[in-house]
Amino acid sequence: NNHAATGSVSSSGSGQLLVLNGSFTQGSGTSSGNDMLVRGGSLSYTGTGSSDHITLESAVSVSGTMHSGEQLTVLGAGGIGTGAATAAANFTNNGVIDLSSNSGDAATFTQSAGTLTNNGTIGVLSASGGGRSLNGVVSNSSTGTISESGIALSSDSSTQVTNDGSVSLTNGGWTITSGSFNNDAATGSVSSSGSRQLLVLNGSFTQGSGTSS
């Protein structure tokens, strides 16, 4: 448990804190140097805000609220396989969640129950290829950004997106299959460039007061 604001984890060189198939609690402590690694098991955010970076590999249950300054990388990793974060209750992101890979393995974030509220940034990174998925009920608030940078993002039939913030797509695009997307408030926008776009396939699209470009 990286518990109080007085707590810190620093690492350099090849050193790293690894929690393997266990339980990691990120309270108000900080981290510096190499990211902290959670491989399997569970990750809980319970603090009031700090500067920390956690990388998640394999299948990990996540819970709580991420604050500004906190970064979570869901990583498809060589020799490990798909990085899969699953939240089974309401989860709030006020920091940065990145879906990435170092090996061509997939990275996914699934909100299996409740709502993923994004007030920060969800980044879909193209590093090393592999699939990127965001599934479940997602509320992208007026301060939230979902940004795809050159690799396809996919979402399944459990996906219901309400967009009051920014969705930015570059070359990869975002395909939601049998789910829904609501470009809701005037603060909501969907921008796309390159050869790809937002595609709702056999699902439901609601054009509210949001814009597209």
Side-chain angles (χ1 to χ4, degrees), residues 137-153:
V137 178
V138 179
S139 175
N140 192 41
S141 78
S142 60
T143 61
T145 298
I146 299 174
S147 177
E148 169 271 305
S149 54
I151 191 166
L153 176 64

PDB file of all heavy atoms in Angstrom, residues 137-153:
ATOM      1  N   VAL A 137     -19.731   0.809 -20.250  1.00  0.00           N
ATOM      2  CA  VAL A 137     -20.383   2.125 -20.199  1.00  0.00           C
ATOM      3  C   VAL A 137     -19.326   3.186 -19.904  1.00  0.00           C
ATOM      4  O   VAL A 137     -18.636   3.121 -18.883  1.00  0.00           O
ATOM      5  CB  VAL A 137     -21.488   2.146 -19.130  1.00  0.00           C
ATOM      6  CG1 VAL A 137     -22.121   3.537 -19.051  1.00  0.00           C
ATOM      7  CG2 VAL A 137     -22.542   1.087 -19.430  1.00  0.00           C
ATOM      8  N   VAL A 138     -19.221   4.161 -20.819  1.00  0.00           N
ATOM      9  CA  VAL A 138     -18.186   5.189 -20.728  1.00  0.00           C
ATOM     10  C   VAL A 138     -18.829   6.562 -20.789  1.00  0.00           C
ATOM     11  O   VAL A 138     -19.565   6.869 -21.739  1.00  0.00           O
ATOM     12  CB  VAL A 138     -17.157   5.058 -21.870  1.00  0.00           C
ATOM     13  CG1 VAL A 138     -16.097   6.154 -21.767  1.00  0.00           C
ATOM     14  CG2 VAL A 138     -16.506   3.682 -21.869  1.00  0.00           C
ATOM     15  N   SER A 139     -18.559   7.388 -19.797  1.00  0.00           N
ATOM     16  CA  SER A 139     -18.978   8.782 -19.799  1.00  0.00           C
ATOM     17  C   SER A 139     -17.741   9.654 -19.967  1.00  0.00           C
ATOM     18  O   SER A 139     -16.930   9.775 -19.042  1.00  0.00           O
ATOM     19  CB  SER A 139     -19.706   9.128 -18.497  1.00  0.00           C
ATOM     20  OG  SER A 139     -20.021  10.516 -18.452  1.00  0.00           O
ATOM     21  N   ASN A 140     -17.590  10.229 -21.156  1.00  0.00           N
ATOM     22  CA  ASN A 140     -16.460  11.113 -21.432  1.00  0.00           C
ATOM     23  C   ASN A 140     -16.931  12.534 -21.156  1.00  0.00           C
ATOM     24  O   ASN A 140     -17.684  13.122 -21.933  1.00  0.00           O
ATOM     25  CB  ASN A 140     -16.003  10.959 -22.892  1.00  0.00           C
ATOM     26  CG  ASN A 140     -14.674  11.614 -23.168  1.00  0.00           C
ATOM     27  OD1 ASN A 140     -13.747  11.533 -22.358  1.00  0.00           O
ATOM     28  ND2 ASN A 140     -14.550  12.264 -24.315  1.00  0.00           N
ATOM     29  N   SER A 141     -16.518  13.088 -20.006  1.00  0.00           N
ATOM     30  CA  SER A 141     -17.061  14.358 -19.538  1.00  0.00           C
ATOM     31  C   SER A 141     -16.524  15.530 -20.356  1.00  0.00           C
ATOM     32  O   SER A 141     -15.681  15.367 -21.245  1.00  0.00           O
ATOM     33  CB  SER A 141     -16.720  14.554 -18.057  1.00  0.00           C
ATOM     34  OG  SER A 141     -15.369  14.983 -17.920  1.00  0.00           O
ATOM     35  N   SER A 142     -16.961  16.730 -20.011  1.00  0.00           N
ATOM     36  CA  SER A 142     -16.570  17.920 -20.770  1.00  0.00           C
ATOM     37  C   SER A 142     -15.078  18.193 -20.691  1.00  0.00           C
ATOM     38  O   SER A 142     -14.522  18.890 -21.549  1.00  0.00           O
ATOM     39  CB  SER A 142     -17.348  19.138 -20.273  1.00  0.00           C
ATOM     40  OG  SER A 142     -17.085  19.375 -18.899  1.00  0.00           O
ATOM     41  N   THR A 143     -14.395  17.646 -19.670  1.00  0.00           N
ATOM     42  CA  THR A 143     -12.937  17.807 -19.567  1.00  0.00           C
ATOM     43  C   THR A 143     -12.188  16.578 -20.052  1.00  0.00           C
ATOM     44  O   THR A 143     -10.961  16.555 -20.030  1.00  0.00           O
ATOM     45  CB  THR A 143     -12.519  18.083 -18.106  1.00  0.00           C
ATOM     46  OG1 THR A 143     -12.896  16.966 -17.285  1.00  0.00           O
ATOM     47  CG2 THR A 143     -13.188  19.348 -17.586  1.00  0.00           C
ATOM     48  N   GLY A 144     -12.918  15.559 -20.496  1.00  0.00           N
ATOM     49  CA  GLY A 144     -12.302  14.303 -20.886  1.00  0.00           C
ATOM     50  C   GLY A 144     -11.869  14.265 -22.334  1.00  0.00           C
ATOM     51  O   GLY A 144     -12.491  14.878 -23.207  1.00  0.00           O
ATOM     52  N   THR A 145     -10.804  13.511 -22.606  1.00  0.00           N
ATOM     53  CA  THR A 145     -10.292  13.304 -23.955  1.00  0.00           C
ATOM     54  C   THR A 145     -10.054  11.821 -24.182  1.00  0.00           C
ATOM     55  O   THR A 145      -9.437  11.149 -23.350  1.00  0.00           O
ATOM     56  CB  THR A 145      -8.966  14.062 -24.168  1.00  0.00           C
ATOM     57  OG1 THR A 145      -9.179  15.460 -24.028  1.00  0.00           O
ATOM     58  CG2 THR A 145      -8.394  13.782 -25.563  1.00  0.00           C
ATOM     59  N   ILE A 146     -10.540  11.306 -25.300  1.00  0.00           N
ATOM     60  CA  ILE A 146     -10.189   9.966 -25.773  1.00  0.00           C
ATOM     61  C   ILE A 146      -9.435  10.163 -27.078  1.00  0.00           C
ATOM     62  O   ILE A 146      -9.976  10.700 -28.040  1.00  0.00           O
ATOM     63  CB  ILE A 146     -11.439   9.086 -25.979  1.00  0.00           C
ATOM     64  CG1 ILE A 146     -12.197   8.916 -24.656  1.00  0.00           C
ATOM     65  CG2 ILE A 146     -11.041   7.717 -26.549  1.00  0.00           C
ATOM     66  CD1 ILE A 146     -13.523   8.189 -24.798  1.00  0.00           C
ATOM     67  N   SER A 147      -8.167   9.767 -27.092  1.00  0.00           N
ATOM     68  CA  SER A 147      -7.281  10.090 -28.202  1.00  0.00           C
ATOM     69  C   SER A 147      -6.660   8.831 -28.767  1.00  0.00           C
ATOM     70  O   SER A 147      -5.960   8.108 -28.066  1.00  0.00           O
ATOM     71  CB  SER A 147      -6.187  11.045 -27.724  1.00  0.00           C
ATOM     72  OG  SER A 147      -5.265  11.325 -28.754  1.00  0.00           O
ATOM     73  N   GLU A 148      -6.933   8.573 -30.031  1.00  0.00           N
ATOM     74  CA  GLU A 148      -6.346   7.427 -30.749  1.00  0.00           C
ATOM     75  C   GLU A 148      -5.255   7.945 -31.662  1.00  0.00           C
ATOM     76  O   GLU A 148      -5.492   8.844 -32.459  1.00  0.00           O
ATOM     77  CB  GLU A 148      -7.454   6.699 -31.526  1.00  0.00           C
ATOM     78  CG  GLU A 148      -6.961   5.670 -32.521  1.00  0.00           C
ATOM     79  CD  GLU A 148      -6.691   6.281 -33.899  1.00  0.00           C
ATOM     80  OE1 GLU A 148      -7.609   6.902 -34.462  1.00  0.00           O
ATOM     81  OE2 GLU A 148      -5.547   6.161 -34.385  1.00  0.00           O
ATOM     82  N   SER A 149      -4.063   7.363 -31.538  1.00  0.00           N
ATOM     83  CA  SER A 149      -2.928   7.887 -32.307  1.00  0.00           C
ATOM     84  C   SER A 149      -2.329   6.819 -33.205  1.00  0.00           C
ATOM     85  O   SER A 149      -1.266   6.276 -32.932  1.00  0.00           O
ATOM     86  CB  SER A 149      -1.862   8.452 -31.360  1.00  0.00           C
ATOM     87  OG  SER A 149      -1.478   7.482 -30.401  1.00  0.00           O
ATOM     88  N   GLY A 150      -3.069   6.458 -34.246  1.00  0.00           N
ATOM     89  CA  GLY A 150      -2.493   5.637 -35.297  1.00  0.00           C
ATOM     90  C   GLY A 150      -2.711   4.155 -35.180  1.00  0.00           C
ATOM     91  O   GLY A 150      -2.050   3.375 -35.879  1.00  0.00           O
ATOM     92  N   ILE A 151      -3.637   3.700 -34.308  1.00  0.00           N
ATOM     93  CA  ILE A 151      -3.935   2.279 -34.210  1.00  0.00           C
ATOM     94  C   ILE A 151      -5.418   2.125 -33.912  1.00  0.00           C
ATOM     95  O   ILE A 151      -6.016   2.944 -33.215  1.00  0.00           O
ATOM     96  CB  ILE A 151      -3.075   1.587 -33.123  1.00  0.00           C
ATOM     97  CG1 ILE A 151      -3.195   0.061 -33.226  1.00  0.00           C
ATOM     98  CG2 ILE A 151      -3.405   2.094 -31.732  1.00  0.00           C
ATOM     99  CD1 ILE A 151      -2.140  -0.680 -32.420  1.00  0.00           C
ATOM    100  N   ALA A 152      -6.042   1.092 -34.456  1.00  0.00           N
ATOM    101  CA  ALA A 152      -7.488   0.926 -34.351  1.00  0.00           C
ATOM    102  C   ALA A 152      -7.911   0.638 -32.911  1.00  0.00           C
ATOM    103  O   ALA A 152      -7.296  -0.164 -32.215  1.00  0.00           O
ATOM    104  CB  ALA A 152      -7.960  -0.189 -35.266  1.00  0.00           C
ATOM    105  N   LEU A 153      -8.995   1.297 -32.488  1.00  0.00           N
ATOM    106  CA  LEU A 153      -9.641   1.038 -31.208  1.00  0.00           C
ATOM    107  C   LEU A 153     -10.962   0.333 -31.494  1.00  0.00           C
ATOM    108  O   LEU A 153     -11.725   0.757 -32.366  1.00  0.00           O
ATOM    109  CB  LEU A 153      -9.890   2.344 -30.466  1.00  0.00           C
ATOM    110  CG  LEU A 153     -10.666   2.264 -29.134  1.00  0.00           C
ATOM    111  CD1 LEU A 153      -9.871   1.463 -28.106  1.00  0.00           C
ATOM    112  CD2 LEU A 153     -10.980   3.660 -28.611  1.00  0.00           C
TER     113      LEU A 153
END
